[in-house]
Every structure is written in structure tokens, then in C-alpha cells.
Amino acid sequence: MTAIPPAAIAVIAAALDDYRLTTPDHQQTPRGAAERAAEYLLTSGWGLYVPGTQQARPRATCPHCTVRHLITTAGRIRRHGPHAHPCPGSGTPAKATA
């Protein structure tokens, strides 16, 4: 098994803490917690890999952080960076670089 980087663990822990603090106890579900963790991972710049699938979604280089990120259906660079402080390049018009 591949070791999970400590930074990814920190993002997941923050997501789960946020979920527990902002979602009433009677509305909390394992799926909700997993969705929050996935959201935090993606917006923090971590990629999710699904084995056996074609990951051909177009990506574009962010003009601010220079990392390639997914492009939204509106043709803009997907929101990325720390959850509370997204990268200033988020939402800029994108040119796909595959």
C-alpha cells in the first residue's frame, strides 16, 4: 500500500472536523463526511485517481500557481488552493492543455 502523505491526512482531518462542527448531529452521514473530505482534497490541489478509467478531462495551467487544474464546464480553471483561501488563479478563463 502506498503511504498517504501527511499533508493529505491533515486536509482530510480538517474536512472531517469542519463537517462535524457545521453539520447537525442528526444530519451527519458517512457519505456527507466523505464528500466533504473529497471536496477539501480537490480544492487543496490534491487529485483523485479512479483506477481503470480514462482521465482525459481537460486541464489548464493556473496563471498564478502554474499547476494544471481541471476546467469547469464554464471554461474556467476549477477552484483550488486551501479551502478558506483559494488560489487567486481560480476561476480564470482556461486554455485546455489535456
Side-chain angles (χ1 to χ4, degrees):
M1 179 177 180
T2 305
I4 299 172
I9 297 293
V11 170
I12 294 168
L16 296 177
D17 283 344
D18 180 59
Y19 182 76
R20 283 191 292 266
L21 292 172
T22 61
T23 307
D25 289 342
H26 66 280
Q27 293 179 350
Q28 292 181 14
T29 64
R31 181 184 177 95
E35 287 174 350
R36 182 73 56 95
E39 174 190 337
Y40 269 52
L41 285 168
L42 289 173
T43 59
S44 296
W46 292 96
L48 299 179
Y49 172 73
V50 180
T53 62
Q54 294 274 340
Q55 297 228 357
R57 292 184 63 191
R59 294 179 178 269
T61 302
C62 173
H64 188 266
C65 68
T66 69
V67 176
R68 288 178 23 175
H69 293 282
L70 290 175
I71 301 172
T72 67
T73 55
R76 298 190 172 276
I77 295 175
R78 190 180 191 291
R79 183 174 184 256
H80 58 280
H83 183 69
H85 304 284
C87 175
S90 297
T92 58
K95 286 187 176 181
T97 58

